[in-house]
Amino acid sequence: MTEDATRPDPAGFTWRDLPIRDDLRGLSPYGAPQLDVPVLLNTNENPYPPSPELVADVAIAATSAAAGANRYPDRDAVELRKDLAQFLNEHSLGHDLLGANLWAANGSNEIIQQILQCFGGAGRTALGFEPSYSMHRLIALATGTAWAAEPRDPRTFELDPGYAVAKIEQHRPDVVFLTSPNNPTGTAAPLELVEAIVDAAPGMVVIDEAYAEFFRPGTPSALTLLPGRPRLIVTRTMSKAFAMAGARIGYLAADPAVIDALLLVRLPYHLSVFTQAVARTALAHTAELLGTVDAVKAQRDRIVAELTALGLHVVPSDANFVSFGDFQDPHAVWQALLDQGVLIREGLLPHKLRVTAGTVEETTAFLDAFTRLLQDGRAPLRAKGEGQ
Ligand SMILES: *Cc1c(COP(=O)(O)O)cnc(C)c1O
């Protein structure tokens, strides 16, 4: 699908021939493959498309937005932010958030970029606990922010609060990133960990809750910690549970002072009149869109149970994906699944692969294909205790 766009320039130039910033030269762009195969379980989207009713309502909203498209959109997306506040108040357990606590952008990646433009930048440092979402590092570097990474526990991928605090005291970062549930491991952060990090951090703390709607029962959101903590930011997205990845809508909740600060760096009119209209329409259909979350969680739990029964090391997951292994040759397993029409994600954790929970049928297709590989000896596992 992306072949044309990535085809080498016939004249033979590459980006390395251009006078780009020296600090960008060592980087590689974000690049989860976008392939046209029957079973897509590689980028953690919700597998259920919007209903015909929602599609029709989006069309109506887009039409009415188009009628006024000669004017710039509401720069501050006031109505959308009120809707988002109401959504969090109703669906994330009784907080008193107002529109002034919310901010929206084109995906939570743009939210992260605005945060780093405002609180990171030249001469400043952001700290992350890896393995985690690779875009935190990439956006940090793209905004000129130095990136410091400290490892999570290599087996459980958990983070001990004392260890996290020690690393914060060592780096004194301007921004700390904590992904909960963490991508690509699925590990959720207990609130004690978030509190310890906010208390220790000299700067801003970003809790990336892109997968919060998939939390297992009893796992809390960092939203509950917002009151009285003006340096805490919780980011969310409509791309994952909310089944609207194509619309590009991300948001954050924080003290209103944080949003006032972000106004300094956001581009004027960054959120188009169409995006705002689609987001509000989708929020009016929250029951439908979140109605699929339980079904996806059931498939997530099924993947964990079945892969565990097959003898694999499976990372417990609070998200809509599961990382599993440990393979002698994860790329060969990834390729063999792709040959059977099942696309999952490789290259995120050593010796492991990551699969997104899909519909029942998609999940069955993955589990059947994978079980066949294992039984045919085409997915040899590493012996327990083999080093990294
Ligand atoms: C998918 C993802 C995002 C980005 O989502 P947007 O589509 O830009 O809203 C952010 N954080 C994590 C951890 C993700 O996995």
PDB file of all heavy atoms in Angstrom, residues 1 3 5 29 49 60 139 153 181 190 199 217 225 227 237-238 242 251 323 333 362 369 381:
ATOM      1  N   MET A   1       0.820  -1.213   0.000  1.00  0.00           N
ATOM      2  CA  MET A   1       0.000   0.000   0.000  1.00  0.00           C
ATOM      3  C   MET A   1       0.856   1.267   0.000  1.00  0.00           C
ATOM      4  O   MET A   1       0.515   2.255  -0.636  1.00  0.00           O
ATOM      5  CB  MET A   1      -0.889   0.003   1.234  1.00  0.00           C
ATOM      6  CG  MET A   1      -2.333  -0.241   0.886  1.00  0.00           C
ATOM      7  SD  MET A   1      -3.392  -0.759   2.214  1.00  0.00           S
ATOM      8  CE  MET A   1      -2.916   0.206   3.616  1.00  0.00           C
ATOM      9  N   GLU A   3       3.912   1.370  -1.068  1.00  0.00           N
ATOM     10  CA  GLU A   3       5.071   1.185  -1.934  1.00  0.00           C
ATOM     11  C   GLU A   3       5.418   2.430  -2.736  1.00  0.00           C
ATOM     12  O   GLU A   3       6.576   2.810  -2.836  1.00  0.00           O
ATOM     13  CB  GLU A   3       4.832   0.013  -2.874  1.00  0.00           C
ATOM     14  CG  GLU A   3       5.592  -1.220  -2.397  1.00  0.00           C
ATOM     15  CD  GLU A   3       4.994  -2.504  -2.924  1.00  0.00           C
ATOM     16  OE1 GLU A   3       4.536  -2.514  -4.092  1.00  0.00           O
ATOM     17  OE2 GLU A   3       4.965  -3.461  -2.157  1.00  0.00           O
ATOM     18  N   ALA A   5       4.824   5.533  -2.130  1.00  0.00           N
ATOM     19  CA  ALA A   5       5.353   6.625  -1.314  1.00  0.00           C
ATOM     20  C   ALA A   5       6.790   6.360  -0.891  1.00  0.00           C
ATOM     21  O   ALA A   5       7.550   7.298  -0.658  1.00  0.00           O
ATOM     22  CB  ALA A   5       4.469   6.826  -0.086  1.00  0.00           C
ATOM     23  N   PRO A  29      12.166   6.739  10.924  1.00  0.00           N
ATOM     24  CA  PRO A  29      10.768   7.147  11.119  1.00  0.00           C
ATOM     25  C   PRO A  29       9.940   6.030  11.721  1.00  0.00           C
ATOM     26  O   PRO A  29      10.280   4.851  11.570  1.00  0.00           O
ATOM     27  CB  PRO A  29      10.292   7.475   9.705  1.00  0.00           C
ATOM     28  CG  PRO A  29      11.234   6.788   8.778  1.00  0.00           C
ATOM     29  CD  PRO A  29      12.525   6.608   9.514  1.00  0.00           C
ATOM     30  N   PRO A  49     -15.801  -1.723  12.995  1.00  0.00           N
ATOM     31  CA  PRO A  49     -16.044  -0.444  12.328  1.00  0.00           C
ATOM     32  C   PRO A  49     -17.287   0.232  12.900  1.00  0.00           C
ATOM     33  O   PRO A  49     -18.121  -0.431  13.530  1.00  0.00           O
ATOM     34  CB  PRO A  49     -16.263  -0.837  10.865  1.00  0.00           C
ATOM     35  CG  PRO A  49     -16.697  -2.264  10.886  1.00  0.00           C
ATOM     36  CD  PRO A  49     -16.135  -2.883  12.142  1.00  0.00           C
ATOM     37  N   ILE A  60     -23.639  13.685   8.286  1.00  0.00           N
ATOM     38  CA  ILE A  60     -24.457  14.886   8.530  1.00  0.00           C
ATOM     39  C   ILE A  60     -23.590  15.972   9.192  1.00  0.00           C
ATOM     40  O   ILE A  60     -23.613  17.138   8.792  1.00  0.00           O
ATOM     41  CB  ILE A  60     -25.672  14.536   9.428  1.00  0.00           C
ATOM     42  CG1 ILE A  60     -26.633  13.630   8.647  1.00  0.00           C
ATOM     43  CG2 ILE A  60     -26.385  15.800   9.903  1.00  0.00           C
ATOM     44  CD1 ILE A  60     -27.709  12.988   9.518  1.00  0.00           C
ATOM     45  N   ILE A 139       9.491  11.779  19.349  1.00  0.00           N
ATOM     46  CA  ILE A 139       8.964  13.154  19.385  1.00  0.00           C
ATOM     47  C   ILE A 139       9.866  14.022  20.256  1.00  0.00           C
ATOM     48  O   ILE A 139      10.103  15.196  19.959  1.00  0.00           O
ATOM     49  CB  ILE A 139       7.493  13.180  19.868  1.00  0.00           C
ATOM     50  CG1 ILE A 139       6.613  12.360  18.914  1.00  0.00           C
ATOM     51  CG2 ILE A 139       6.974  14.614  19.943  1.00  0.00           C
ATOM     52  CD1 ILE A 139       5.177  12.142  19.386  1.00  0.00           C
ATOM     53  N   ASP A 153      11.878  -3.729  34.549  1.00  0.00           N
ATOM     54  CA  ASP A 153      12.293  -5.081  34.890  1.00  0.00           C
ATOM     55  C   ASP A 153      12.251  -5.929  33.607  1.00  0.00           C
ATOM     56  O   ASP A 153      11.216  -5.979  32.941  1.00  0.00           O
ATOM     57  CB  ASP A 153      11.328  -5.664  35.938  1.00  0.00           C
ATOM     58  CG  ASP A 153      11.728  -7.075  36.351  1.00  0.00           C
ATOM     59  OD1 ASP A 153      11.639  -8.003  35.502  1.00  0.00           O
ATOM     60  OD2 ASP A 153      12.119  -7.256  37.508  1.00  0.00           O
ATOM     61  N   PRO A 181      -1.867   1.554  30.544  1.00  0.00           N
ATOM     62  CA  PRO A 181      -1.056   0.353  30.366  1.00  0.00           C
ATOM     63  C   PRO A 181       0.091   0.622  29.388  1.00  0.00           C
ATOM     64  O   PRO A 181      -0.097   1.339  28.410  1.00  0.00           O
ATOM     65  CB  PRO A 181      -2.036  -0.654  29.766  1.00  0.00           C
ATOM     66  CG  PRO A 181      -3.404  -0.137  30.103  1.00  0.00           C
ATOM     67  CD  PRO A 181      -3.277   1.347  30.163  1.00  0.00           C
ATOM     68  N   PRO A 190       0.548   1.023  39.007  1.00  0.00           N
ATOM     69  CA  PRO A 190      -0.245   1.291  40.205  1.00  0.00           C
ATOM     70  C   PRO A 190      -0.200   2.776  40.559  1.00  0.00           C
ATOM     71  O   PRO A 190       0.781   3.463  40.242  1.00  0.00           O
ATOM     72  CB  PRO A 190       0.446   0.473  41.299  1.00  0.00           C
ATOM     73  CG  PRO A 190       1.436  -0.396  40.614  1.00  0.00           C
ATOM     74  CD  PRO A 190       1.720   0.198  39.265  1.00  0.00           C
ATOM     75  N   ASP A 199       5.715  13.129  42.835  1.00  0.00           N
ATOM     76  CA  ASP A 199       6.355  13.754  43.997  1.00  0.00           C
ATOM     77  C   ASP A 199       7.846  13.999  43.757  1.00  0.00           C
ATOM     78  O   ASP A 199       8.394  15.014  44.188  1.00  0.00           O
ATOM     79  CB  ASP A 199       6.175  12.877  45.242  1.00  0.00           C
ATOM     80  CG  ASP A 199       4.737  12.923  45.748  1.00  0.00           C
ATOM     81  OD1 ASP A 199       3.969  13.791  45.276  1.00  0.00           O
ATOM     82  OD2 ASP A 199       4.385  12.086  46.616  1.00  0.00           O
ATOM     83  N   PRO A 217     -10.562  -5.040  35.684  1.00  0.00           N
ATOM     84  CA  PRO A 217     -11.320  -4.464  36.804  1.00  0.00           C
ATOM     85  C   PRO A 217     -10.388  -4.169  37.987  1.00  0.00           C
ATOM     86  O   PRO A 217      -9.517  -4.972  38.308  1.00  0.00           O
ATOM     87  CB  PRO A 217     -12.325  -5.567  37.159  1.00  0.00           C
ATOM     88  CG  PRO A 217     -12.424  -6.424  35.947  1.00  0.00           C
ATOM     89  CD  PRO A 217     -11.122  -6.331  35.228  1.00  0.00           C
ATOM     90  N   LEU A 225      -5.709  11.231  40.269  1.00  0.00           N
ATOM     91  CA  LEU A 225      -4.657  11.963  40.990  1.00  0.00           C
ATOM     92  C   LEU A 225      -4.528  13.418  40.550  1.00  0.00           C
ATOM     93  O   LEU A 225      -3.717  14.168  41.095  1.00  0.00           O
ATOM     94  CB  LEU A 225      -3.301  11.265  40.785  1.00  0.00           C
ATOM     95  CG  LEU A 225      -3.192   9.844  41.332  1.00  0.00           C
ATOM     96  CD1 LEU A 225      -1.816   9.260  40.994  1.00  0.00           C
ATOM     97  CD2 LEU A 225      -3.407   9.826  42.847  1.00  0.00           C
ATOM     98  N   PRO A 227      -6.382  16.272  40.870  1.00  0.00           N
ATOM     99  CA  PRO A 227      -6.613  17.430  41.744  1.00  0.00           C
ATOM    100  C   PRO A 227      -5.378  17.760  42.593  1.00  0.00           C
ATOM    101  O   PRO A 227      -4.797  16.875  43.224  1.00  0.00           O
ATOM    102  CB  PRO A 227      -7.786  16.972  42.619  1.00  0.00           C
ATOM    103  CG  PRO A 227      -8.491  15.936  41.797  1.00  0.00           C
ATOM    104  CD  PRO A 227      -7.411  15.227  41.023  1.00  0.00           C
ATOM    105  N   THR A 237      -6.708   8.870  24.012  1.00  0.00           N
ATOM    106  CA  THR A 237      -6.922   8.933  22.566  1.00  0.00           C
ATOM    107  C   THR A 237      -8.258   8.305  22.203  1.00  0.00           C
ATOM    108  O   THR A 237      -8.765   7.446  22.944  1.00  0.00           O
ATOM    109  CB  THR A 237      -5.787   8.217  21.817  1.00  0.00           C
ATOM    110  OG1 THR A 237      -6.043   8.276  20.411  1.00  0.00           O
ATOM    111  CG2 THR A 237      -5.669   6.755  22.238  1.00  0.00           C
ATOM    112  N   MET A 238      -8.810   8.726  21.066  1.00  0.00           N
ATOM    113  CA  MET A 238      -9.994   8.055  20.528  1.00  0.00           C
ATOM    114  C   MET A 238      -9.592   6.998  19.500  1.00  0.00           C
ATOM    115  O   MET A 238     -10.445   6.419  18.828  1.00  0.00           O
ATOM    116  CB  MET A 238     -10.963   9.091  19.927  1.00  0.00           C
ATOM    117  CG  MET A 238     -11.583   9.967  21.015  1.00  0.00           C
ATOM    118  SD  MET A 238     -12.619  11.327  20.420  1.00  0.00           S
ATOM    119  CE  MET A 238     -14.114  10.472  19.979  1.00  0.00           C
ATOM    120  N   PHE A 242     -11.825   3.597  21.501  1.00  0.00           N
ATOM    121  CA  PHE A 242     -12.917   4.404  20.958  1.00  0.00           C
ATOM    122  C   PHE A 242     -13.149   4.206  19.459  1.00  0.00           C
ATOM    123  O   PHE A 242     -14.058   4.814  18.875  1.00  0.00           O
ATOM    124  CB  PHE A 242     -12.694   5.887  21.281  1.00  0.00           C
ATOM    125  CG  PHE A 242     -13.945   6.582  21.684  1.00  0.00           C
ATOM    126  CD1 PHE A 242     -14.346   6.632  23.009  1.00  0.00           C
ATOM    127  CD2 PHE A 242     -14.773   7.150  20.732  1.00  0.00           C
ATOM    128  CE1 PHE A 242     -15.524   7.242  23.374  1.00  0.00           C
ATOM    129  CE2 PHE A 242     -15.961   7.774  21.087  1.00  0.00           C
ATOM    130  CZ  PHE A 242     -16.345   7.809  22.410  1.00  0.00           C
ATOM    131  N   TYR A 251      -6.397  13.538  23.256  1.00  0.00           N
ATOM    132  CA  TYR A 251      -6.689  14.608  24.199  1.00  0.00           C
ATOM    133  C   TYR A 251      -5.910  14.399  25.490  1.00  0.00           C
ATOM    134  O   TYR A 251      -5.284  13.346  25.695  1.00  0.00           O
ATOM    135  CB  TYR A 251      -8.190  14.720  24.460  1.00  0.00           C
ATOM    136  CG  TYR A 251      -8.880  13.460  24.929  1.00  0.00           C
ATOM    137  CD1 TYR A 251      -9.189  13.264  26.275  1.00  0.00           C
ATOM    138  CD2 TYR A 251      -9.241  12.463  24.025  1.00  0.00           C
ATOM    139  CE1 TYR A 251      -9.841  12.120  26.706  1.00  0.00           C
ATOM    140  CE2 TYR A 251      -9.892  11.309  24.453  1.00  0.00           C
ATOM    141  CZ  TYR A 251     -10.187  11.149  25.784  1.00  0.00           C
ATOM    142  OH  TYR A 251     -10.820  10.011  26.212  1.00  0.00           O
ATOM    143  N   SER A 323       1.853  -9.378  24.478  1.00  0.00           N
ATOM    144  CA  SER A 323       3.205  -9.715  24.037  1.00  0.00           C
ATOM    145  C   SER A 323       3.561 -11.094  24.556  1.00  0.00           C
ATOM    146  O   SER A 323       3.281 -11.423  25.710  1.00  0.00           O
ATOM    147  CB  SER A 323       4.215  -8.674  24.545  1.00  0.00           C
ATOM    148  OG  SER A 323       4.108  -7.493  23.772  1.00  0.00           O
ATOM    149  N   VAL A 333       8.761 -16.361  12.827  1.00  0.00           N
ATOM    150  CA  VAL A 333       7.385 -16.641  13.254  1.00  0.00           C
ATOM    151  C   VAL A 333       6.457 -15.561  12.692  1.00  0.00           C
ATOM    152  O   VAL A 333       5.374 -15.855  12.169  1.00  0.00           O
ATOM    153  CB  VAL A 333       7.294 -16.696  14.796  1.00  0.00           C
ATOM    154  CG1 VAL A 333       5.861 -16.975  15.243  1.00  0.00           C
ATOM    155  CG2 VAL A 333       8.250 -17.756  15.351  1.00  0.00           C
ATOM    156  N   GLU A 362     -11.067 -13.064  13.991  1.00  0.00           N
ATOM    157  CA  GLU A 362      -9.663 -12.703  13.759  1.00  0.00           C
ATOM    158  C   GLU A 362      -8.758 -13.353  14.803  1.00  0.00           C
ATOM    159  O   GLU A 362      -7.663 -13.835  14.485  1.00  0.00           O
ATOM    160  CB  GLU A 362      -9.498 -11.178  13.830  1.00  0.00           C
ATOM    161  CG  GLU A 362     -10.133 -10.443  12.664  1.00  0.00           C
ATOM    162  CD  GLU A 362     -10.244  -8.943  12.908  1.00  0.00           C
ATOM    163  OE1 GLU A 362     -10.257  -8.504  14.083  1.00  0.00           O
ATOM    164  OE2 GLU A 362     -10.329  -8.206  11.930  1.00  0.00           O
ATOM    165  N   ALA A 369      -3.510 -20.298  13.408  1.00  0.00           N
ATOM    166  CA  ALA A 369      -2.284 -20.241  12.599  1.00  0.00           C
ATOM    167  C   ALA A 369      -1.059 -20.417  13.479  1.00  0.00           C
ATOM    168  O   ALA A 369      -0.125 -21.152  13.148  1.00  0.00           O
ATOM    169  CB  ALA A 369      -2.222 -18.908  11.851  1.00  0.00           C
ATOM    170  N   LEU A 381      10.913 -22.309  20.668  1.00  0.00           N
ATOM    171  CA  LEU A 381      11.036 -21.403  21.807  1.00  0.00           C
ATOM    172  C   LEU A 381      12.445 -21.481  22.372  1.00  0.00           C
ATOM    173  O   LEU A 381      13.149 -22.472  22.213  1.00  0.00           O
ATOM    174  CB  LEU A 381      10.023 -21.798  22.889  1.00  0.00           C
ATOM    175  CG  LEU A 381       8.563 -21.779  22.464  1.00  0.00           C
ATOM    176  CD1 LEU A 381       7.659 -22.240  23.602  1.00  0.00           C
ATOM    177  CD2 LEU A 381       8.161 -20.376  21.999  1.00  0.00           C
TER     178      LEU A 381
END
